[in-house]
Amino acid sequence: MKKPPFYKSVQFTINGLIWILRNERNFQFHIVGLLINLFLIVFLGLSSLETALILLCSFFVLVTETLNTCAEKICDYIQPNFDTKIGVIKDLAGGAVLLSVIAAVCVGILIYWPYFKLYFY
């Protein structure tokens, strides 16, 4: 099979991101989190390093959520009926998302806490 031209590959990728944004509630929640972080980055005037860490964590959560969705879709395709082994696979993929969210929240607390203390105390 011949590989599509690069611009077509990019178009397919964008279509995938549009699909997940339209169809996956958890991805939409994570996008809201990214938007809140973008606001806080500008409002609080975070340093370049702090901004990089917040953005890295935010996109890490989006990546893990995308991979979780891929795992779920593959599992549903392979076994549309309930299966405990498929359930374990889905739980593991969901656990990866939870771990990335916990890491992102920890980094967010470490970075934002001094700013919040400055503004609210």
Side-chain angles (χ1 to χ4, degrees):
M1 183 170 138
K2 184 180 174 188
K3 286 188 175 189
F6 179 74
Y7 76 92
K8 279 287 192 191
S9 295
V10 172
Q11 185 178 20
F12 296 146
T13 302
I14 291 170
N15 289 343
L17 291 175
I18 290 169
W19 184 92
I20 197 169
L21 185 57
R22 287 183 178 166
N23 294 287
E24 290 296 320
R25 183 191 68 224
N26 289 343
F27 191 85
Q28 294 165 355
F29 288 148
H30 298 313
I31 289 291
V32 170
L34 173 63
L35 294 174
I36 291 168
N37 278 302
L38 290 173
F39 171 78
L40 289 172
I41 286 167
V42 173
F43 180 76
L44 298 173
L46 268 55
S47 72
S48 296
L49 179 59
E50 292 167 329
T51 298
L53 288 170
I54 292 293
L55 291 178
L56 184 63
C57 287
S58 295
F59 281 97
F60 183 57
V61 170
L62 291 172
V63 168
T64 55
E65 184 61 49
T66 301
L67 293 173
N68 176 50
T69 299
C70 289
E72 288 179 351
K73 295 299 175 194
I74 290 168
C75 287
D76 291 344
Y77 180 77
I78 292 170
Q79 179 55 270
N81 300 319
F82 178 78
D83 183 299
T84 55
K85 291 178 183 176
I86 293 292
V88 170
I89 294 167
K90 288 181 172 186
D91 292 346
L92 290 169
V97 177
L98 181 59
L99 289 173
S100 71
V101 169
I102 291 169
V105 168
C106 290
V107 170
I109 290 170
L110 289 170
I111 290 174
Y112 290 134
W113 185 252
Y115 290 95
F116 288 147
K117 279 180 27 180
L118 185 68
Y119 279 98
F120 298 111
Y121 286 107

